Amino acid sequence: MANELNRFRRVLHVREVEREITQSELATKEHEEETILDRLNEITERRENALTEFCSGRDSLISPQQLWFERQNLDLIEKRLVADKHELEDCRACIEETKVVLLEKHRNVQIMEHFVDKLKVREDKRTVDVEQGNLDDINSMRFRRNMQGEARI
């Protein structure tokens, strides 16, 4: 019985470690999400600045080539913004999947903890029963000795 309890304690430990690993993966992915959000904010700000400069009324004449370069810059910023938004969506989907996995692992740990606790209670009860049986045997031997000793007198 003690071997069974130890075996299930090891299983519980493994499941707890798996849960901790998943928690760290989730934290990493959430950090990645924050990084992407920061990058999106920066790119959005750059786009706004470039758009403001592109649309601003200029006092001097600019060449069509300069206008084309500015428009190309805006297009590149837009493409980067779209790509980062897709990356953010993928990251968030991955975070949601990891949360589901983490929830499942947490449930597994709770189930195993409950089972190990029941095994511990059963083991403790068995130990107490064995000790009580030994004490009963000792008391019955003492009683017999005392009875045999009184019978001789």
Side-chain angles (χ1 to χ4, degrees):
M1 186 66 130
N3 289 336
E4 183 181 24
L5 180 61
N6 287 333
R7 188 172 65 240
F8 281 106
R9 280 185 177 160
R10 286 193 306 268
V11 170
L12 173 62
H13 177 71
V14 167
R15 289 190 179 176
E16 287 172 339
V17 168
E18 287 175 345
R19 180 181 62 181
E20 290 170 6
I21 290 170
T22 305
Q23 285 173 335
S24 97
E25 288 173 4
L26 180 62
T28 301
K29 289 174 185 176
E30 287 175 341
H31 179 70
E32 182 181 338
E33 179 189 30
E34 289 174 18
T35 303
I36 294 170
L37 283 171
D38 289 343
R39 196 170 59 225
L40 272 172
N41 290 334
E42 179 184 315
I43 292 171
T44 302
E45 186 178 322
R46 277 194 343 206
R47 181 189 69 180
E48 292 302 319
N49 291 340
L51 194 57
T52 301
E53 187 174 318
F54 182 76
C55 294
S56 68
R58 298 179 189 203
D59 295 336
S60 63
L61 293 175
I62 60 169
S63 69
Q65 185 179 13
Q66 179 64 29
L67 194 60
W68 184 80
F69 282 136
E70 287 182 15
R71 181 63 194 158
Q72 289 299 316
N73 185 38
L74 280 171
D75 288 344
L76 287 174
I77 291 173
E78 285 294 329
K79 285 180 184 177
R80 184 65 187 159
L81 196 59
V82 168
D84 282 355
K85 284 182 181 178
H86 286 300
E87 186 178 353
L88 180 63
E89 289 174 11
D90 293 343
C91 184
R92 285 183 173 165
C94 193
I95 286 172
E96 290 305 314
E97 291 172 10
T98 305
K99 284 181 179 179
V100 169
V101 169
L102 180 61
L103 184 63
E104 184 63 32
K105 288 186 179 190
H106 183 67
R107 278 192 209 122
N108 287 340
V109 168
Q110 286 181 327
I111 289 169
M112 189 56 65
E113 283 175 342
H114 180 70
F115 185 70
V116 167
D117 288 343
K118 284 172 69 174
L119 283 177
K120 176 76 171 118
V121 167
R122 192 181 315 153
E123 176 69 19
D124 290 346
K125 184 180 180 322
R126 190 187 67 75
T127 302
V128 167
D129 288 346
V130 167
E131 288 176 4
Q132 186 62 47
N134 289 340
L135 289 173
D136 290 346
D137 289 345
I138 291 170
N139 281 334
S140 65
M141 285 190 279
R142 284 184 180 167
F143 180 75
R144 256 188 279 149
R145 271 194 223 144
N146 287 341
M147 292 303 287
Q148 287 174 355
E150 289 178 9
R152 288 186 195 156
I153 297 182

